[in-house]
Amino acid sequence: MAVLSEGIKRLFRRPFTVRYPKHKPKLSPRFRGKLTWDRNKCIFCFQCQMACPNNVIKIDKEKKEYFADLNKCLFCGKCQEVCPVPEKAVRLTQEFEMAKLKKEDIPERF
Ligand code: SF4
Ligand code: SF4
C-alpha cells in the first residue's frame, strides 16, 4: 500500500530534470563554466598560468594576450582562486554551452 501511495505522489511531483535545450537548467552560483579574462583588470603576474594543473593558460605579457586551450580545461577553478586582483581578472563564468563542430574552434585567444 505504501508503495502504491508513493507512486501516486510521484505522479504529481515536479520532475528534477529539465527539458534541455528548450529549458535552461538553474545553475548554482558556484557553478564553474567557461573561463573568461579581463585585460583591463589583469596585472600579468602569471599566477593563474603557474597554478593551472593542465597547462591550459599561456600569457604573452608583451602583446598583452591571454590564450586558454579550453579543450584541456578541467574547470577546477584554480586560476580564479589564485588571481590576486580582488575583482578577479580571470574567472569561470556560468556558460557551459561550449560545443563546437571542430576541435580547433574551441581554443580561445583573448
Ligand atoms: S579552471 Fe583549472 S584547468 Fe581550467 S584553466 Fe583554470 S586552473 Fe586551468
Ligand atoms: S592571476 Fe589574474 S592578474 Fe595574474 S596573470 Fe592571471 S589573470 Fe592576470
Side-chain angles (χ1 to χ4, degrees):
M1 194 63 181
V3 174
L4 184 65
S5 65
E6 188 58 32
I8 292 168
K9 264 194 260 169
R10 279 171 192 261
L11 273 178
F12 298 101
R13 205 177 277 169
R14 285 176 56 202
F16 290 103
T17 52
V18 291
R19 291 181 181 270
Y20 179 83
K22 196 174 173 191
H23 300 287
K24 303 286 183 213
K26 192 167 180 264
L27 301 172
S28 155
R30 297 173 64 197
F31 179 84
R32 297 193 294 250
K34 187 181 177 187
L35 177 149
T36 188
W37 173 74
D38 189 331
R39 175 181 281 106
N40 299 321
K41 290 179 187 163
C42 186
I43 58 170
F44 296 94
C45 67
F46 292 88
Q47 292 284 334
C48 53
Q49 183 178 301
M50 288 189 286
C52 180
N54 224 18
N55 295 321
V56 172
I57 301 166
K58 297 275 177 293
I59 300 169
D60 189 326
K61 194 174 178 176
E62 276 71 50
K63 290 184 185 164
K64 298 213 179 305
E65 276 184 346
Y66 199 91
F67 179 79
D69 185 353
L70 298 178
N71 285 301
K72 296 196 297 184
C73 183
L74 307 169
F75 306 97
C76 65
K78 266 282 166 201
C79 49
Q80 179 177 314
E81 196 183 310
V82 299
C83 182
V85 179
E87 320 85 64
K88 302 291 179 190
V90 62
R91 61 183 180 83
L92 300 184
T93 64
Q94 298 254 311
E95 191 180 339
F96 63 90
E97 291 167 312
M98 295 185 286
K100 298 268 195 292
L101 287 175
K102 286 191 233 150
K103 190 180 167 204
E104 313 81 74
D105 293 340
I106 292 180
E108 195 136 336
R109 190 177 287 276
F110 292 89

